[in-house]
Amino acid sequence: MSPLVNETTGPQAVLSARGLRRDFAGFTAVRHVDLDVHHGKIHALIGPNGAGKTTVFNLLTKFLAPTAGSIELLGRDITKTSPAAVARMGLVRSFQISAIFPHLSVLDNVRVALQRPGGLGTQFWRPLSALDRLTPRAQELLAMVGLADDRHRLAGDLSYGRKRVLEIATTLALDPKVLLLDEPMAGMGHEDVSTVSDIIRSVAKDRAVLMVEHNLTVVADLCDWITVLQHGDIIAAGDYATVSADERVRVAYMGTEEA
């Protein structure tokens, strides 16, 4: 997909939020959040525990309705759009907990994910052989994320890090225009972190990526733009050099002083 372009201001964000707010029984989890995620860029959402990062993700993907504010995807207002409709438009999310079918093979996990874009989304009564025409694309996706040699293994037998890689492959099977990754490196060893970083960098060439991530080394190396949340408010935004030099960020997130 080509990025949206405004003739006077250049590329427009493919996913935007303005004045986003969410209240829970008198508690405000997110307030006044403005966010722009651009095609071909990796955008990180960081902050201490309880900062509101997951709430923002839930608002953007419509798992929660905002108390106030608006959200646009690909130039369309999706503030009141259903989660399923938003996903069909190309906004796809992964979760902190790996979501795979452990008793299916790695290949079949991806073939199942390809059912909807392949036109088989409601044909669950058909035998698994009905998915055979999806095999070439599934193998392409597995090769893209380095799982080609594991395609016949049971997904449940993969290491934790490889399960997360498989989840990225199944997410890519939906051909997202905007990919939201919720702590993709959580619980991974150094080798898996490096592998997943390379995968994210590669897939971001053709889509926008917004990720919640606690590993600041990864954020510094991988992300083009960073938004920092604290107590539901944005306290800083910019590239890593900018936000890491901000005293509010250093106190709230990096622990250089006692909060």
Side-chain angles (χ1 to χ4, degrees):
M1 183 197 108
S2 298
L4 299 174
V5 175
N6 182 300
E7 292 182 357
T8 58
T9 61
Q12 295 179 357
V14 293
L15 176 65
S16 295
R18 290 292 179 270
L20 211 56
R21 178 187 179 100
R22 174 67 191 199
D23 298 329
F24 293 98
F27 168 71
T28 300
V30 169
R31 61 172 68 79
H32 309 309
V33 167
D34 292 343
L35 200 65
D36 290 310
V37 183
H38 292 270
H39 179 84
K41 302 295 182 181
I42 303 173
H43 189 140
L45 191 62
I46 70 171
N49 290 334
K53 304 181 298 296
T54 297
T55 300
V56 170
F57 259 39
N58 287 336
L59 291 168
L60 294 174
T61 52
K62 311 315 308 300
F63 285 87
L64 288 174
T67 304
S70 63
I71 306 168
E72 285 192 358
L73 174 64
L74 304 173
R76 293 177 55 186
D77 190 319
I78 62 166
T79 310
K80 297 182 179 180
T81 305
S82 71
V86 166
R88 287 193 296 270
M89 291 173 63
L91 179 60
V92 179
R93 172 187 180 177
S94 74
F95 292 85
Q96 292 180 23
I97 300 173
S98 182
I100 60 171
F101 297 106
H103 301 299
L104 293 181
S105 71
V106 169
L107 178 64
D108 285 339
N109 266 268
V110 181
R111 294 201 302 171
V112 167
L114 283 166
Q115 285 184 89
R116 178 167 294 281
L120 299 173
T122 60
Q123 302 179 30
F124 295 110
W125 62 87
R126 300 184 67 181
L128 201 58
S129 59
L131 302 182
D132 285 348
R133 67 183 178 87
L134 303 178
T135 298
R137 177 56 180 158
Q139 291 177 330
E140 287 178 10
L141 289 167
L142 290 175
M144 181 187 303
V145 300
L147 285 175
D149 291 342
D150 295 310
R151 61 188 179 279
H152 297 307
R153 293 184 63 188
L154 287 180
D157 291 341
L158 296 176
S159 68
Y160 174 77
R162 305 303 277 175
K163 288 176 182 175
R164 296 309 301 265
V165 171
L166 175 58
E167 184 184 9
I168 291 176
T170 61
T171 304
L172 292 174
L174 300 176
D175 193 24
K177 305 301 185 292
V178 185
L179 180 59
L180 275 61
L181 301 174
D182 197 352
E183 298 192 35
M185 315 295 183
M188 288 187 183
H190 177 74
E191 182 177 346
D192 285 330
V193 166
S194 178
T195 297
V196 173
S197 292
D198 288 343
I199 291 169
I200 293 172
R201 187 178 289 109
S202 176
V203 302
K205 294 175 182 178
D206 300 315
R207 55 187 54 82
V209 174
L210 176 65
M211 58 188 287
V212 169
E213 182 53 55
H214 285 290
N215 187 326
L216 293 183
T217 301
V218 169
V219 171
D221 177 61
L222 194 59
C223 298
D224 302 291
W225 193 263
I226 301 162
T227 298
V228 188
L229 287 175
Q230 183 185 30
H231 304 311
D233 288 305
I234 293 177
I235 61 171
D239 60 18
Y240 186 79
T242 299
V243 300
S244 63
D246 191 303
E247 189 61 25
R248 294 169 299 175
V249 177
R250 296 168 68 87
V251 172
Y253 189 79
M254 299 178 184
T256 56
E257 296 181 13
E258 291 187 5

Short mmCIF file of all heavy atoms in Angstrom, two decimals, residues 47 88 152 183 186 191 211 229 259:
data_model
loop_
_atom_site.label_atom_id
_atom_site.label_comp_id
_atom_site.label_asym_id
_atom_site.label_seq_id
_atom_site.Cartn_x
_atom_site.Cartn_y
_atom_site.Cartn_z
N GLY A 47 6.65 3.37 28.60
CA GLY A 47 6.27 4.00 29.85
C GLY A 47 6.29 2.98 30.97
O GLY A 47 6.31 1.77 30.71
N ARG A 88 -10.58 -5.96 9.46
CA ARG A 88 -10.73 -6.16 8.02
C ARG A 88 -10.16 -4.99 7.23
O ARG A 88 -9.71 -5.16 6.09
CB ARG A 88 -12.21 -6.37 7.66
CG ARG A 88 -12.75 -7.73 8.09
CD ARG A 88 -14.09 -8.01 7.44
NE ARG A 88 -15.13 -7.09 7.87
CZ ARG A 88 -15.91 -7.29 8.92
NH1 ARG A 88 -15.78 -8.39 9.66
NH2 ARG A 88 -16.85 -6.41 9.23
N HIS A 152 6.84 -28.43 9.67
CA HIS A 152 6.10 -29.66 9.97
C HIS A 152 6.10 -30.00 11.47
O HIS A 152 5.49 -31.00 11.86
CB HIS A 152 6.66 -30.83 9.17
CG HIS A 152 6.53 -30.67 7.69
ND1 HIS A 152 5.32 -30.38 7.07
CD2 HIS A 152 7.46 -30.72 6.69
CE1 HIS A 152 5.51 -30.27 5.76
NE2 HIS A 152 6.79 -30.46 5.51
N GLU A 183 4.35 -5.90 23.37
CA GLU A 183 5.52 -6.49 24.02
C GLU A 183 6.03 -7.72 23.28
O GLU A 183 6.10 -8.83 23.83
CB GLU A 183 5.21 -6.83 25.48
CG GLU A 183 4.85 -5.61 26.31
CD GLU A 183 4.82 -5.89 27.80
OE1 GLU A 183 5.64 -6.72 28.26
OE2 GLU A 183 4.00 -5.30 28.50
N ALA A 186 8.91 -9.75 25.06
CA ALA A 186 8.77 -10.15 26.47
C ALA A 186 9.16 -11.61 26.66
O ALA A 186 8.70 -12.50 25.96
CB ALA A 186 7.34 -9.92 26.93
N GLU A 191 19.23 -14.07 21.72
CA GLU A 191 19.22 -14.52 20.33
C GLU A 191 17.85 -14.32 19.69
O GLU A 191 17.74 -13.87 18.55
CB GLU A 191 19.64 -15.99 20.25
CG GLU A 191 19.70 -16.52 18.82
CD GLU A 191 20.18 -17.96 18.76
OE1 GLU A 191 20.71 -18.46 19.77
OE2 GLU A 191 20.02 -18.58 17.70
N MET A 211 4.39 -0.48 18.44
CA MET A 211 4.70 -1.54 19.40
C MET A 211 4.86 -1.00 20.81
O MET A 211 5.38 0.10 21.02
CB MET A 211 5.97 -2.29 18.99
CG MET A 211 7.21 -1.43 18.85
SD MET A 211 8.62 -2.32 18.12
CE MET A 211 9.10 -3.37 19.49
N LEU A 229 4.44 7.50 27.78
CA LEU A 229 3.26 7.72 28.61
C LEU A 229 3.62 7.63 30.09
O LEU A 229 4.48 6.83 30.49
CB LEU A 229 2.18 6.67 28.32
CG LEU A 229 1.39 6.76 27.02
CD1 LEU A 229 0.48 5.54 26.89
CD2 LEU A 229 0.56 8.04 26.97
N ALA A 259 11.40 8.57 41.87
CA ALA A 259 10.16 9.26 41.54
C ALA A 259 9.40 9.61 42.80
O ALA A 259 9.52 8.94 43.80
CB ALA A 259 9.30 8.39 40.63
#
